[in-house]
Amino acid sequence: MTEPVVDMRGISVEFPGVKALQEVDFRLFPGEVHALMGENGAGKSTLIKALTGVHRIAAGEVRYAGERVSFSAPAEAQAAGISTVYQEVNLCGNLTVAENILLGREPRKLGRIDGKAMRARAAELLARIGLHIDPGSVLESHPIAVQQLVAIARAVAVDARVLVLDEPTSSLDADEVAELFRIIRVLRDEGVAVLFVTHFLEQVYEISDRMTVLRNGRLVGEHMTAALSRIDLVSAMLGREMGVLEEIERRSGTPGEPLLVAEGLGRKGSVAPFDLEIRKGEVVGLAGLLGSGRTEVARLLFGADKADSGRLLVDGKQVRLTGPRAAIEAGVAFSSEDRKAEGIVADLSVRDNLILAMQAARGWARPVPRKLADELVAKYIELLDIRPADPDRAVGNLSGGNQQKVLLARWLVTQPKLLILDEPTRGIDVGAKAQIQKVVADLAAEGMAVLFISAELEEVVRVSDRVVVMRDRQKVAELDGEVGVDDVMALIAGGGDHGVDQGVEKAVAS
Amino acid sequence: MKNRLLWPVVALVALLMLNVVVTPSFFSVRLQDGHLYGSLIDILRNGAPTLLIALGMTLVIATRGIDLSVGAVAAIAGAVTCTHIASGGNAWVAMGLALALCAVLGLWNGFLVSVLGIQPIIATLVLMTAGRGIAMLITEGQIITVNDDSYRQVGAGFLVLPIAILISLAVLGLVALVTRRTALGLLIESVGVNPSASRLAGVRARTIIWTVYVFAALCAAVAGLMISSNVSAADANNAGLWIEMDAILAVVIGGTSLAGGRYSLTGTLLGALIIQTLTTTVYTIGIAPEITLVFKAIVVIAVCLMQAPVGIRVRVRGKQGVPA
Amino acid sequence: MITPEVTATATAPGRPRGGLVNVPKRFLPVIATFVVFVATFGVGSVRYEGFASGQVMANLFIDNAFLIVLAVGMTFVILTGGIDLSVGSVVALSTMIAASALQAGWPAWLVVVTVLATGSALGLAMGWVIHRFGVQPFIVTLAGMFLARGLCFVISVESVSIKDPAFRELATGSIELPGGVTITYGVVIALVTVLAAVYVLHLTRFGRTVYAVGGSESSARLMGLATTRVKVGVYVISGFCSALGGLLFSLYMLSGYSLHAVGMELDAIAAVVVGGSLLSGGVGFVIGSVVGVLVLGTIQTLISFEGTLSSWWTKIVIGALLLAFIALQRIIVRRT
Ligand SMILES: Nc1ncnc2c1ncn2[C@@H]1O[C@H](COP(=O)(O)OP(=O)(O)OP(=O)(O)O)[C@@H](O)[C@H]1O
Ligand SMILES: [Mg+2]
């Protein structure tokens, strides 16, 4: 076997009050795809950041291409040939797509940046990963998934010896994932070492050659992917047998009366007017490609964006389309897909984040009693298994998956009538994902209506009683009863008249 | 937060020590006619307006805002009161008028920031500029002197301790109580850290922003009354001049970030005391007036460096080869 | 590595096509400021005779050349999300150094170099403290403001007039433009500064990193950009611009005085913000700041044309006009 290109030995990383990594060994060989596995908060991102010089290493040594190194800034790791996509999209939203891809290595003519060449080069790099957007457009005008692809384009734009991808696929559709994997394979065959983090087991088995499993900041083991079964992998990650992944039972009882009725709701340039009905105790899935309008529908229903046509009834009463507060008062809750910008309040504690929505509803003069807050926090930390289970820790210091759980809990404590979840399981580990899906099912069983949005079709189909399909910013169909992934897929892809049971498709005129 | 307050405390103690070394009687406080006198009491009394304004500023800054107009508002409060008293009005009515007018000015700032969405620094700059003009308009460009005993109490009166400092401390206690016992503090911080997430969580960001600007203006008004009452006169041009800078300085020395979010009222108290002690020190140790500002700059930098998040830590670097 | 072969994968249906509304949107505040500026100028010319002359326009530049230079430096700082409160004091210090050095008989070129070096060094020191110790820019530059002002008093508390022939020559000399309009050398220097700034901000790596740091400093760092150099660099630039502005100001006043330019930092900040930059960083243009200065200048011109205002009405009117500008700008930006 060849020498490892990255060889980390006995790595420990500490944060005030947490030992994020303890004596972890990690090797990465050229020409392999190596999956780094572990639950939320296991220390995957920390290991990556220790390698690239973002975090300081308390103990242990890093060898890169045979030499001992200690990068003190990401720039040094990058210059040495380690190209990284970090977990949260870490780009500059105020700059153009082209700049985000090429910043720091722009084509230059006589010392000045050659804008035209830059856009051309960016377009080329975007095309390589199958993304066709205007390189001159401002990054923050694109949805999170596109931003993630742009970050990947940036990482593969250089001749790197090591490519690190921390949950690059968490918001991508099947198509984009396939495209990304194609590129990863090309790179691997050229001898690049690829480090890959994901919570999708299928993807791990599809792409990786070898994996390293972490648990609670410690190394559990390094395995060849082919030699480790899924069951073994999951129990290695969780440190116990996998019990929660039981099949979600389909509820037999018929859903109650309509809770939410939208009539001709729409917004110019965002979603064409659509009708939608959600019943009490029903989980409605919203499926569609990136940019098909699924997030926009959710935002309209909640008033995060203002609708300019149509009306909305909750429980038979018309809701003023004035903004989130009106929706919240009517009993609607919404957890945004953009966790960093629209979800967590990073500097505040887990407790404060958790009771924020409840507190906002009560108004400032009636604080949530400390005792009640503690009870709620304890309950949801336990129910959703939020780690570390410390209510006073700033939420910004939690791992991505745990932040997501805090957000879910924030809305659950308000006991809404309708819960809109936009990508609630993004970046969440297998165990927790099953937990969340189960929580959703239980809530529905208790009579709550849920609108569930996810890029992962299997998940949408599994949790939903009914699936609404979006395409090109229009609602194109509603599928009832026993829905299969393939049915939805056909509709999403367009030309859905074939192969789909006409009986369940209610095409919406627009 | 706790240990970030350590260095401001150290700085304050150091300044006081410096004074004791130069003037051994610095700490002595005497009771005379039921009033406390002494250098320490002077520091407290002279620092009262800055502390008061800094309290309002703390909440504004916690919402990611800033209020440059407080000095002008203070001048307006003094101008209104003195003009009313000078034209034969009752002192209490005059002060009531001043507070009401300043509350309106606070509403105005809040309107520009929260409804029109104008950046706070520029929104309040409008009133900072125009406010002095308004104050001069009220006094018609004159320095109005008054002779009213009940008015003089506000700035120069004593209830064992100077009344001014009692007022400021009472407001401090009140703010601490209100923000920490109700959910106001939490909501203010959440709006300051992440406005869009707060909006989606249903926080009434607009009302909160509005509230803090009104509160800041009221604090400024009371401070303005203290300043003007202390000299029994209203000087539209110079009353509260640059006090906004001192207030902001006090807030930041106290560890509250101008980027909004977590704030510390205790920190602000310490910050205001440090600034006032500094000013007093300059006189007591007889620093030449020409280099007063240089001295001030050095102390400010020293305090900030001590509590800097990245201490004087030297990063030990290993060999950083870029392997071929 | 990957050969630069372009894979022509078909765009999936329904993928959002970027750039529908975005590109012009960035320029909107600047355009809005410009429109408002033109409108006010129009109002002025209808109301006052002789307002709409080329010379009034030229005077706008002459009277505000130093402010333009300051605003340019301030734009760099604000784009990174920082702020520089020291500029007014550095202007005063520069006039003081220039006047007293000239009085002491230094050659003019040496004076210029000394002043520029002092300003840049002060900027470097502030930038270094901000970056190295993570102290908030507001505080560091406020201390810088005290320091520079204090040093003025140390040099002299009196006003020192400038009698150096070279300086006087520069100050009084004028360039005639077609149409009989004259401008000073100061205007030329200011405009060259603006052009240089535009070049640096938009066509160099340093400039783009300035925007990146303002957009998200942590991202910029993770992207491996030279954030340190930029974060310190912008304060050096601002210090340099303040010193240059100070030189222009000393030409304009022909004196050095400790109490020159009190509160001018607020004018510079106001100009930048009125010009459409966000104090949170990452958004704005130098040209916007220049228009911002012209807006402030126009307000002053309107006041002087009005002529009979008492000093307090002047202040109120300035505030009101400032407000009108910002409000109009907001309306234009929101409508579109
Ligand atoms: N900056 C920080 N300060 C304090 N604690 C931190 C910080 N970053 C991470 N941690 C803690 O370190 C631990 C490991 O976090 P890390 O982000 O590496 O998890 P992860 O394996 O990437 O999880 P996920 O799958 O959710 O992304 C967690 O307990 C987290 O709370
Ligand atoms: Mg992670």
Side-chain angles (χ1 to χ4, degrees), chain A residues 44-45 87 166-167 400:
Chain A
K44 305 180 293 293
S45 303
Q87 181 169 6
D166 194 353
E167 299 199 31

Side-chain angles (χ1 to χ4, degrees), chain C residues 255-281:
Chain C
S255 71
Y257 185 33
S258 309
L259 294 178
H260 272 332
V262 171
M264 197 182 274
E265 57 280 347
L266 288 176
D267 290 338
I269 295 170
V272 174
V273 176
V274 166
S277 299
L278 291 185
L279 285 169
S280 44

